[in-house]
Amino acid sequence: MELVASSARDSVSAALGLGGLSPQQMVDIYRLMVLSRRVDDREILLKRQQKIFFQLSAAGHEALQVGAALAMRPGYDWFFPYYRDRALCLALGVTPLQMLLQAVGAASDTASGGRQMPTHWSSRALNIVSTSSCTASQVLHAVGCAEAGRYFSRHPEAAAREAGDYRAFRDVKFHGDEVVLTMLGEGSTSQGEFWEAMNTASNQKLPVVFCVEDNGYAISTPVEVNTPGGNISRLVANFPNFFFAEVDGTDPQAVLQAFQAAVAHCRAGRGPAFVHGHCIRLYSHSFSEDDSAYRPKAEREADALRDPLGKMQMRLLREGILTEEQIDALEQSAEREVSDAAERALLAPLPLVEGIAKHVYSEDLDPTSSSFAAERKEEDPPDAKSRTMADLINACLHDEMRRDPRIVVFGEDVADASREDALAEVKGKGGVFKLTAGLQTEFGSERVFNSPLAEANIVGRALGYAARGMKPVVEIQFFDYIWPAYHQIRNELSVLRWRSNGEWACPVVIRAPIGGYLTGGSIYHSQSGESLFTHIPGLRVVFPSNALDANGLLRTAIRCDDPVLFLEHKRLYRETHDRAPYPGPEFAIPFGKARIVRAGADLTIVTYGALVPRSLQAAERARREHGIDVEILDLRTLNPYDWEAIATSVRKTSRVIVAHEDMLSWGYGAEIAARIADELFDSLDAPVRRIGAMDTFVAYQPVLEDAILPQPETILKAIVDLKTY
Ligand SMILES: Cc1ncc(C[n+]2csc(CCOP(=O)(O)OP(=O)(O)O)c2C)c(N)n1
Ligand SMILES: [Mg+2]
């Protein structure tokens, strides 16, 4: 298959320069289109026989996809396709056998090992980055991927493999003129992520080809509902720096010509390209639905007349390139290839149940390991001055950026000044909380820069960067505004490694200021919500309570090989009680190791974040006023969390409170309390208590805020109640 594809590609490129396709090239293209249709039809048969479990076809899109693929260089250029791109992937070099192995969910499915539906592509060798089912999330990854390619071409030294952190496992490939292709349906252009990607590709003149496969429907929704005026080309026409083409997507020659011009524009560094191909959806959206429920018969029949296979076949006959017998022979040979592949796929061993948890996290680098327990080195200059959490986070970012040229920092307002000239005169912004202050000044605007005001843009691009081997350390300005990025975090960032069976990874760090107790922070600057992230497999969640921990945990977050959500409590940024001297550039704390903040014999409080100092206040009063000796455990990381430390403490004290700032119901404490009740029942002398905020939002008026969020008095009362239970 690869031979056919590459020979078609090379010969086609040569011939188009001469003004047309040679007969052999047309035959090669036709064969790829037929092969794609045959795999679709075989899968439909297998689905009817209940031997596979899902089916999505490229029928009607083949000419557009083959034309696109033949203008690209697989394994050199980069690809972010969508679920309908069978013919594209065949033409790039994915084999029918690989496709059918995924359809049956075989262990040897090279794209996902039986984890993803069919047509969810992935191939490291071909630079096809694993795709999800989410419409349009992939286009932001394509943008980040192009940015990373440009970065490595300008800083080749950053590509070096380094031992001691994630770089040992993240190989880098780049050429300097590679192009990134991303494909999506016309319905998917309604997603904000599409516009966010167009924004950055345009602004930064990135070598990304966006191809919209416009089949006129998004499941049952016709194009004019998704696209005002019914034509996406008209809507995007004013984006600067783009090459635009709108083509008949059922004509492979027209498509190829448009793509060659688009790719040339990108390769030359002139900017991105947008190719809008009008095609047809010949079958229903998927095998699981029936389009006769919403499309009139006449319309479906008219579409069938535009079947790109039929048109190409007519052309081959009309121009005397193939006889009917030769077409029959070609189709039979494609059919045989697909039948053989199906037979083999049906016999392929299934994945082992024992392997389910593999690749949820990095198999290579364990952030809980003692290799991350690096103390302050002797030769570091002693620095007695106590620094705030904000200072020590900023110091860690400076240290790590000096050490690792693959780190880039971006987010809203994180730069000192986007207009660099201003820095001659002004101090610079460096983040709304100043946590990134001075980074742009020291490391330059290529490594530290402002994003557009769009959270999905930040996380989606970061994924693309990281898939290429870089280490984005991005900032979400306020946790309260992380929600536009939640889709990217939940459905993309955290699952990329698992869904590709370890083939791809994106160890991004997301820093996010969180929490209340601000006196006036109100609903949109006081939120907690960490349990919504600890509930995501594949994502590490860190929540330090003091300056030293923040420094050491951020270093581990940056050096490790997993995506990390690093939660920074705003109220703790500049407190006096949690300060520490600068611990040097190698100080690190492993994940999953709780800290005993205060040892005690009578009762344990398991807590983290802003409830650490509040629990401490309550514990001191409990000792003074009631003679109760409380032990406090600061979890420091919420996923993973230190179960051993919890169990040891509860076995000692037999009484436990789980305390957090977030709302009580469905909060992080529910899981910890349930596990204690389950596994430590015999050690308990009293029920497990939980403390959390009221089940409401945080109000602006301080009287209300104080009543909503847990206070030291709340904790003290629970301590006394539980001790006397
Ligand atoms: C974010 C998201 N929302 C909804 C869906 C369900 N869904 C799957 S495909 C689809 C329609 C996509 O239409 P279009 O972009 O035109 O692509 P086509 O299927 O027509 O090729 C929808 C709504 C999804 N997969 N992802
Ligand atoms: Mg569509």
Side-chain angles (χ1 to χ4, degrees):
M1 191 56 256
E2 165 60 4
L3 272 181
V4 175
S6 58
S7 72
R9 186 176 313 107
D10 295 344
S11 58
V12 161
S13 309
L16 276 181
L18 302 172
L21 292 171
S22 76
Q24 183 56 47
Q25 290 144 10
M26 285 175 52
V27 172
D28 289 343
I29 288 173
Y30 182 60
R31 187 165 197 282
L32 282 167
M33 292 165 61
V34 168
L35 198 59
S36 175
R37 186 73 60 88
R38 286 290 186 271
V39 180
D40 275 330
D41 290 343
R42 174 59 57 150
E43 281 190 359
I44 287 169
L45 187 68
L46 293 171
K47 174 76 176 86
R48 287 210 170 95
Q49 297 168 342
Q50 297 182 7
K51 290 180 176 160
I52 68 168
F53 318 99
F54 191 74
Q55 209 285 326
L56 248 160
S57 91
H61 290 233
E62 294 96 340
L64 180 54
Q65 295 178 9
V66 172
L70 296 183
M72 309 292 299
R73 300 173 67 181
Y76 185 99
D77 293 325
W78 286 74
F79 303 92
F80 292 81
Y82 85 125
Y83 49 78
R84 212 176 281 293
D85 288 337
R86 183 188 304 292
L88 175 93
C89 290
L90 276 171
L92 292 177
V94 181
T95 65
L97 177 61
Q98 286 173 315
M99 295 184 178
L100 289 158
L101 285 169
Q102 190 171 41
V104 300
S108 53
D109 153 29
T110 51
S112 80
R115 292 170 174 194
Q116 289 233 78
M117 288 173 157
T119 67
H120 286 56
W121 316 106
S122 177
S123 166
R124 203 158 173 96
L126 298 170
N127 291 347
I128 302 174
V129 180
S130 165
T131 53
S132 69
S133 300
C134 314
T135 53
S137 51
Q138 74 278 12
V139 294
L140 282 168
H141 311 160
V143 167
C145 172
E147 293 176 87
R150 176 183 287 179
Y151 181 85
F152 281 124
S153 72
R154 291 179 183 167
H155 304 278
E157 72 289 350
R161 222 171 206 253
E162 299 284 344
D165 61 41
Y166 73 96
R167 284 173 292 177
F169 314 102
R170 302 279 128 245
D171 276 346
V172 173
K173 290 200 277 187
F174 67 97
H175 305 282
D177 67 344
E178 60 267 42
V179 173
V180 181
L181 172 64
T182 185
M183 316 279 284
L184 72 163
E186 89 295 335
S188 305
T189 63
S190 288
Q191 296 283 2
E193 286 157 310
F194 166 71
W195 298 95
E196 293 180 18
M198 294 288 284
N199 174 335
T200 301
S202 169
N203 247 340
Q204 300 202 18
K205 295 175 96 174
L206 293 169
V208 180
V209 183
F210 295 80
C211 174
V212 173
E213 300 182 42
D214 186 346
N215 58 17
Y217 277 92
I219 309 185
S220 70
T221 306
V223 59
E224 69 277 11
V225 177
N226 269 301
T227 308
N231 185 315
I232 189 66
S233 282
R234 256 183 263 143
L235 298 190
V236 298
N238 283 332
F239 272 103
N241 303 321
F242 265 89
F243 168 90
F244 292 105
E246 186 176 357
V247 289
D248 175 359
T250 64
D251 174 352
Q253 185 166 339
V255 172
L256 186 54
Q257 271 165 342
F259 262 92
Q260 286 185 325
V263 171
H265 176 84
C266 292
R267 242 188 253 297
R270 287 201 288 273
F274 186 88
V275 180
H276 178 191
H278 293 277
C279 57
I280 49 168
R281 198 186 72 196
L282 215 47
Y283 300 167
S284 292
H285 169 73
S286 74
F287 187 76
S288 316
E289 68 123 30
D290 178 5
D291 67 353
S292 65
Y294 51 88
R295 295 185 75 187
K297 190 157 174 262
E299 183 188 304
R300 285 181 285 128
E301 285 172 357
D303 260 8
L305 294 177
R306 289 182 62 217
D307 180 353
L309 258 69
K311 283 172 58 179
M312 192 69 175
Q313 195 185 93
M314 294 294 285
R315 192 171 159 194
L316 291 168
L317 287 169
R318 197 174 58 238
E319 296 183 15
I321 295 168
L322 291 181
T323 62
E324 277 186 23
E325 293 71 36
Q326 286 170 318
I327 286 181
D328 280 349
L330 180 151
E331 289 179 351
Q332 278 165 21
S333 115
E335 181 62 33
R336 262 196 313 279
E337 185 179 344
V338 174
S339 298
D340 291 349
E343 251 171 58
R344 288 176 60 190
L346 288 168
L347 294 174
L350 299 184
L352 298 178
V353 171
E354 294 74 33
I356 289 171
K358 205 168 173 205
H359 302 305
V360 173
Y361 300 100
S362 173
E363 303 285 316
D364 301 313
L365 196 55
D366 176 5
T368 68
S369 90
S370 55
S371 64
F372 283 100
E375 291 302 324
R376 183 178 161 271
K377 281 205 247 129
E378 279 311 309
E379 63 268 27
D380 294 330
D383 180 351
K385 186 172 165 262
S386 273
R387 312 273 193 91
T388 63
M389 184 191 278
D391 290 339
L392 288 193
I393 289 173
N394 181 266
C396 179
L397 290 169
H398 275 277
D399 287 342
E400 290 303 299
M401 288 193 81
R402 260 173 229 143
R403 176 181 175 274
D404 177 0
R406 293 196 197 176
I407 298 175
V408 285
V409 167
F410 58 96
E412 293 156 16
D413 304 296
V414 299
D416 291 324
S418 287
R419 295 179 182 164
E420 290 174 24
D421 293 349
L423 287 174
E425 210 179 296
V426 298
K427 172 157 110 329
K429 180 78 177 162
V432 293
F433 294 101
K434 303 250 173 285
L435 276 273
T436 53
L439 293 176
Q440 180 198 0
T441 305
E442 180 171 348
F443 300 105
S445 304
E446 258 184 310
R447 294 186 66 194
V448 183
F449 50 89
N450 287 330
S451 69
L453 207 175
E455 287 74 14
N457 174 293
I458 297 168
V459 176
R461 284 163 69 196
L463 186 157
Y465 266 104
R468 290 289 293 268
M470 292 205 44
K471 174 66 74 168
V473 181
V474 299
E475 180 175 299
I476 295 293
Q477 195 163 77
F478 293 87
F479 181 85
D480 312 69
Y481 307 120
I482 202 167
W483 312 116
Y486 195 78
H487 180 52
Q488 283 285 343
I489 295 171
R490 172 68 181 81
N491 282 339
E492 301 289 352
L493 196 74
S494 307
V495 70
L496 181 71
R497 188 193 301 269
W498 190 81
R499 78 176 183 224
S500 65
N501 207 13
E503 192 165 56
W504 298 99
C506 50
V508 169
V509 178
I510 303 171
R511 296 182 32 255
I514 189 170
Y517 300 107
L518 303 179
T519 317
S522 182
I523 306 164
Y524 302 105
H525 298 85
S526 306
Q527 287 177 26
S528 297
E530 55 277 11
S531 62
L532 295 165
F533 294 87
T534 52
H535 198 56
I536 300 176
L539 183 68
R540 308 292 191 181
V541 181
V542 180
F543 202 153
S545 72
N546 61 75
L548 192 67
D549 285 357
N551 184 280
L553 290 167
L554 182 58
R555 185 159 286 108
T556 303
I558 291 173
R559 294 185 185 182
C560 91
D561 197 31
D562 293 315
V564 180
L565 179 64
F566 193 85
L567 299 171
E568 303 168 1
H569 202 290
K570 301 186 285 283
R571 182 60 206 257
L572 301 179
Y573 269 155
R574 293 182 171 83
E575 292 280 83
T576 43
H577 56 73
D578 62 7
R579 298 183 183 193
Y582 169 66
E586 293 300 327
F587 175 69
I589 299 172
F591 290 174
K593 304 281 180 279
R595 185 173 67 96
I596 300 175
V597 180
R598 184 187 193 286
D602 296 335
L603 184 150
T604 301
I605 299 181
V606 178
T607 189
Y608 53 89
L611 280 218
V612 172
R614 283 159 186 78
S615 298
L616 202 53
Q617 278 183 42
E620 292 304 331
R621 279 186 59 192
R623 184 186 54 79
R624 275 199 318 271
E625 297 169 18
H626 304 274
I628 305 172
D629 188 17
V630 174
E631 176 147 305
I632 299 176
L633 279 190
D634 177 359
L635 288 179
R636 309 203 280 192
T637 65
L638 307 186
N639 181 24
Y641 67 92
D642 192 345
W643 174 247
E644 279 316 307
I646 295 171
T648 305
S649 181
V650 172
R651 284 194 191 105
K652 180 171 77 170
T653 64
S654 304
R655 286 180 160 78
V656 59
I657 296 170
V658 188
H660 52 63
E661 173 183 340
D662 198 6
M663 289 173 283
L664 189 73
S665 301
W666 324 107
Y668 185 78
E671 172 65 24
I672 304 294
R675 188 164 174 196
I676 294 170
D678 185 3
E679 296 183 31
L680 303 175
F681 183 72
D682 292 341
S683 305
L684 290 171
D685 287 342
V688 185
R689 267 292 134 76
R690 286 178 297 146
I691 290 176
M694 288 171 65
D695 291 336
T696 182
F697 300 92
V698 178
Y700 171 72
Q701 166 54 241
V703 169
L704 303 182
E705 182 184 20
D706 284 353
I708 290 165
L709 296 180
Q711 305 297 335
E713 295 72 35
T714 331
I715 304 170
L716 178 64
K717 184 171 179 315
I719 292 170
V720 175
D721 281 357
L722 203 62
K723 180 62 187 145
T724 53
Y725 178 84

